[in-house]
């Protein structure tokens, strides 16, 4: 089938017009879809049911039901009363039962990203155990990442250089495409290089990390669910419920709903350690308790699939693509992503995602998948009946951008990965985020563990690893600017249904024109003081009215708090040279105690990561 012109991957800055036939085809299929849709339905239409059942992998029908039930529960949650007894309890007296029970320096709860932290710490000489409620397997769906970022796995002894080469299963032709539709029917596009340009296989990566971890003495406890945590002055102790006959299906890692067929019944046990690293994902019970069970500030609904077939173009990826206005029926602005999969590029993964509040009026994942099936042929220029489905993807990503990273509320416990809340509220690229923070966090934990009396494992000292990062907080506004509230049909009173596209295009175009040093860090989830200042200035000069029109859509309180984060972002970048100067001076005079050195190092880390200067470490860029 010939590829419609608007969807041919393009060279940077190419501007195309949406062919009329597209608009016609879209509106025809929309009408037919409207007849079958029902508000917030969790019952798949016959077409969606057939699609789900044609999946080569897993049991997406069941997984989708579970994911939708979990999403509905989150949306309707006011503030779940704390469990009795709470998941984490603190005691003034010793919690270790006897010296015979297993005891480690570090326990890592949750094994996806947790195994990377575990290996990094074991390699630094600590005795580490990973406790995972299911099998430690990662997942089959590729993680898209930028090549430079993977080096963190080698630096932290998680993989060797040779192993690194083996986990890269796809390399995309560059540049990746970015595109936004306008009210006038124009599909504006530009390119970006060096960003999300490879796909790695999480299952291979996790298997290799697990092997390496065990080879250097690490302990893996699979089918062991952490059920309770007790913190005392001597240790942190976890109660583990052993499980058996567990099979994996559905969306592993997405919303914690991927475990099906769980059968309790093994014996229970307890294990203790000096510190517990919580890597139990976005729905970690520890992180939920630390946040006092509050609702997320926003949720990104993501649905997609990986299919083989006659893809008209499958060499390159779409980093973010929008060809539709706000969907008035759903109150949703849909964005799309697409990536080739595998060395032969026979398969392609496509995602459709939409941002909004965690409110009951939000659509279900089932409805999002119905829309995905409706619009995918237009987006990619394919005929669904000619494609073969490998797997279905769906999930909802909660974002707590108003108070991320997750505060440390308990002695001896640190949340990392999605539980730690460091991932971007725009991309939710938790794997990439883990790689950027792996050296910082494992280095700081190593420093804390070296102090034998555990004084650096108190909640106050561990909080220094999770101090406020303006570079993360400023991203919250971008999440908000891409979000549509239930009932909204335009981007506020002054912008139309293409308003979000307009703002994003203006932003992306400004960054692209400013060059790779500005564009790349942002697309790789790092907001830098210099890059953001230049981008905002450029946007204001080109289209001063747009910023004013956006104000009522975002709301004054959101803008005021964002201005504070922006000011902090700039201040942090100015603080770095001063802090580095103080450290080199004090280190020469040897007056620093261990605790003072630890605190000064955390201040420097925070200034670097909080100002986005870490982009220079990861990507060798300057802005
Ligand atoms: C469809 C999809 C596509 C994605 N694509 C990308 C991408 O391209 N690039 C990228 O960077 N990121 C991507 N992500 C995000 C990435 O997968 C997550 O950020 C990452 O998996 C988070 O890892 P985690 O270990 O923090 O949490 P999870 O992956 O949720 O893992 C948590 C682990 O903890 C275990 N666990 C939970 N509770 C307990 C308990 N009580 N006891 C013991 N164990 C427990 C779970 O079984 C699980 O193994 C994608 C996510 C999805 C859903």
């Amino acid at each position: 089938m010939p590829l419609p012109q608007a969807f041919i991957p393009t060279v940077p800055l190419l501007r195309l017009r949406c062919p009329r036939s597209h608009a016609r085809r879209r509106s025809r299929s929309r009408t037919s879809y409207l007849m079958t849709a029902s508000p917030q339905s969790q019952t798949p239409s016959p077409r969606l049911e057939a699609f789900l059942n044609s999946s080569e992998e897993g049991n997406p029908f069941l997984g989708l039901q579970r994911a939708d039930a979990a999403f509905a529960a989150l949306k309707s949650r006011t503030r779940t009363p704390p469990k009795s007894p709470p998941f984490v309890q603190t005691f003034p007296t010793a919690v270790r039962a006897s010296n015979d029970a297993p005891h480690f320096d570090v326990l890592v709860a949750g094994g996806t990203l947790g195994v990377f932290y575990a290996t990094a710490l074991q390699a630094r000489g600590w005795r580490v155990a990973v406790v995972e409620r299911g099998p430690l397997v990662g997942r089959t769906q590729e993680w898209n990442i930028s090549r430079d970022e993977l080096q963190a796995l080698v630096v932290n002894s998680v993989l060797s250089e040779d192993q690194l080469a083996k986990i890269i299963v796809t390399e995309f032709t560059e540049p990746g495409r970015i595109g936004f539709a306008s009210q006038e029917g124009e599909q504006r596009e530009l390119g970006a290089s060096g960003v999300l340009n490879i796909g790695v296989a999480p299952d291979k990566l996790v298997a290799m990390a697990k092997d390496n971890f065990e080879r250097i003495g690490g302990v893996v406890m699979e089918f062991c669910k952490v059920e309770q945590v007790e913190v005392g002055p001597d240790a942190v102790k976890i109660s583990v419920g052993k499980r058996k006959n567990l099979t994996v299906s559905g969306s592993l890692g997405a919303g914690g709903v991927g475990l099906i067929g769980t059968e309790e019944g093994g014996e229970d046990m307890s294990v203790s350690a000096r510190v517990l690293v919580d890597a139990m994902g976005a729905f970690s019970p520890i992180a939920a308790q630390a946040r006092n069970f509050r609702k997320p500030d926003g949720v990104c609904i993501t649905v997609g699939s990986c299919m083989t077939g006659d893809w008209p173009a499958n060499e390159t990826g779409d980093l973010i693509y929008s060809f539709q206005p706000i969907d008035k029926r759903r109150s949703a602005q849909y964005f799309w992503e697409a990536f080739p999969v595998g060395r032969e590029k026979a398969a392609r993964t496509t995602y459709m995602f939409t941002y909004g509040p965690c409110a009951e009026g939000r659509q279900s994942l089932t409805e999002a998948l119905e829309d995905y099936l409706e619009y995918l042929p237009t987006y990619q220029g394919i005929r669904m009946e000619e494609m073969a489905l490998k797997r279905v993807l769906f999930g909802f990503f909660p974002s707590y951008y108003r108070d991320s990273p997750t505060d440390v509320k308990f002695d001896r416990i640190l949340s990392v990965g999605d539980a730690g809340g460091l991932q971007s509220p725009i991309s939710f690229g938790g794997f990439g985020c883990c790689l950027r923070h792996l050296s910082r966090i494992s280095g700081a934990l190593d420093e804390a563990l070296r102090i034998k009396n555990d004084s650096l494992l108190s909640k106050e000292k561990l909080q220094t690893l999770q101090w406020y990062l303006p570079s993360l907080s400023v991203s919250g506004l971008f999440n908000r600017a891409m979000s549509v509230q239930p009932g909204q049909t335009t981007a506020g009173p002054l912008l139309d249904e293409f308003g979000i596209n307009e703002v994003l295009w203006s932003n992306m175009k400004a960054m692209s024109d400013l060059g790779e040093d500005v564009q790349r860090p942002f697309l790789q989830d790092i907001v830098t003081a210099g890059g953001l200042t230049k981008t905002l200035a450029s946007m204001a000069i080109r289209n001063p009215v747009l910023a004013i029109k956006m104000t009522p859509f975002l709301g004054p309180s959101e803008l005021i708090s964002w201005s504070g984060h922006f000011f902090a972002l700039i201040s942090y970048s100015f603080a770095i040279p001063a802090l580095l100067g103080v450290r080199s001076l004090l280190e020469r005079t040897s007056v620093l105690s261990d605790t003072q050195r630890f605190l000064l190092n955390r201040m420097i880390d925070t200034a670097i990561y909080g100002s986005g200067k870490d982009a220079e470490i990861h990507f060798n860029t300057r802005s």
Side-chain angles (χ1 to χ4, degrees), residues 396-439:
F396 54 100
F397 296 87
S399 164
Y400 297 85
Y401 58 78
R402 292 207 171 87
D403 60 6
S404 280
T406 312
D407 276 336
V408 178
K409 288 285 169 66
F410 315 102
D411 293 338
R412 298 181 181 277
I413 302 179
L414 178 74
S415 293
V416 301
D418 282 5
L422 287 163
Q423 66 279 20
S424 155
I426 312 169
S427 77
F428 296 91
F431 172 56
C433 171
C434 163
L435 296 182
R436 289 193 299 279
H437 290 273
L438 191 56
S439 297

Side-chain angles (χ1 to χ4, degrees), residues 267-281:
E267 68 199 78
D268 290 354
M269 61 186 291
S270 61
V271 190
S272 62
R274 293 172 64 196
V275 67
L276 172 67
V277 174
D278 161 28
M280 291 187 280

Side-chain angles (χ1 to χ4, degrees), residues 110 112-113 132-133 139 143-144 226 254 280-281 351 418 429-432:
T112 313
L113 302 179
E132 165 56 52
R133 68 178 173 186
R139 53 195 200 113
W143 275 324
N144 300 313
V226 180
M280 291 187 280
Y351 289 116
D418 282 5
F431 172 56

